[in-house]
Amino acid sequence: MSDPVVRTRFAPSPTGYLHIGGLRTALYAYLFARQKGGRFILRIEDTDLERYVPGAVDIILRTMKDAGLLYDEGPDVGGDYGPYIQSERKDTYLKYAKQLVDSGGAYYCFCTKQRLKAMYEGGATKYDKACLRLGRAEAERRAAAGEPYVIRQNIPETGTSAYHDLVFGHIAVDNKELEDNVLIKSDGMPTYNFANVVDDHLMAVNYVIRGVEYLSSTPKYNLLYRGLGWETPQYMHLQPIMRDAAHKLSKRYGDASYEDFVARGFLPAAIVNYIALLGWSPKDDREKFTLDELVRRFSVEGLSKSPSIFDENKLRWLNAQYIKELPPEEFHARALPFYAGHAYLEGYDLKYLSGLLHGRAEVLSDVGPLTAFLTEFEGFDPALFVNEKWKTDPALAKAMLPRLIDLAKNTDPQAIGEALNAFAADNGYKKGQVLWVFRIAVTGAKNTPGGAAEMAILLGKTEACRRLEITLKRL
Ligand code: GLU
């Protein structure tokens, strides 16, 4: 018999954003399915949500597409195992819970909130199985009489439950550590603990890839699978991504979501590439991978058993490489929305500007700081004229500037590079001296995204001359 088709899923809860850790889980589930020629499923888990977050599902769908993690089945693309939103499946779960009740794997619980509260306050660490002792007939009678109830999993009181995790190996938990969790709430909705099992089974998911916080609950889920006569899936649990040695990366503490990084000018391909390395490593030291390369290279053995630390500088470094590789038109198209945020750029030849910035921006939002000289010109420090290598200083600038102004007035900016060279030769200056003085005089900035001639072209003749005059007056 041939192996069944690999089916993985990403099962986010729509909380209003997709954080970097969630996206990484999605990525690994995607990579594994693609590598094995399998199917990758998106399922929205919204049964446990306290409140509805408008637009949250759209953010997830949009992010997955933007990041290139195309799913074969999901809420908006359909599939043979839908619906793919748990709240639309709410009639599915109760019958399986009742099946478990019939076989002794679950039971009705009528305990009131007050009783539970008193029990935990009295020092109990888990539910005391009080309602298990009611007996089936009595429980059925109370339920039929309309008394509110939940359905709880009936965990054996002795023994251990164990399974093999593909990342962590043998995992064993003493049954007495496990609580009889609620499977179906009093409103008839399933909890995550139950819905994930039922849906993974009904959606034929055979590889479950998710956060390590579920590692120790998984034996419990396996008891449910077995109680229902279902085959258990394989599991890969993933260590968290940390902000630093002590703190998880978390939106609650201001750590960015995928969309925040995109808004700051990181390219989707660079983000995906970087997060692939946060918890997985190839056998060699290579760091730059396209999504297709990741599909080929991904390996379960490369998954890390320890947490990874998010290093934004590393992401910047990788992003810079992706930016340099963009075709010029694409860089320009991606830079445009970032230019739009800076009113002072209006009127400049943005295409020309893109040519200057393309090799220098590490993130697209760098176009702001890299063009700041266009708006922060007046009032710069004349000490910028001091250059030890070229032996320039404000006095030399003052002496040179009247003739540079004449030259700029009478030269087409496109030809100014040559004109400045000729000026240096004719007047006994070094080329570097003239170029330094001219560039500082028109920009007022030590670092600019181009040399003297490029700055003259960018500014245009009128503005360049205006700036030269202002500078001369100040010296
Ligand atoms: N909805 C769960 C979460 O967002 C999914 C856990 C799982 O993948 O099973 O954490």
Side-chain angles (χ1 to χ4, degrees), residues 9 11-13 25 43 45 192 196 200 208-211 213-214:
R9 83 319 190 257
S13 299
T25 302
R43 177 173 76 227
E45 302 209 321
Y192 166 78
N196 92 84
D200 281 339
V208 168
I209 301 172
R210 66 181 164 207
E213 60 272 29
Y214 300 102

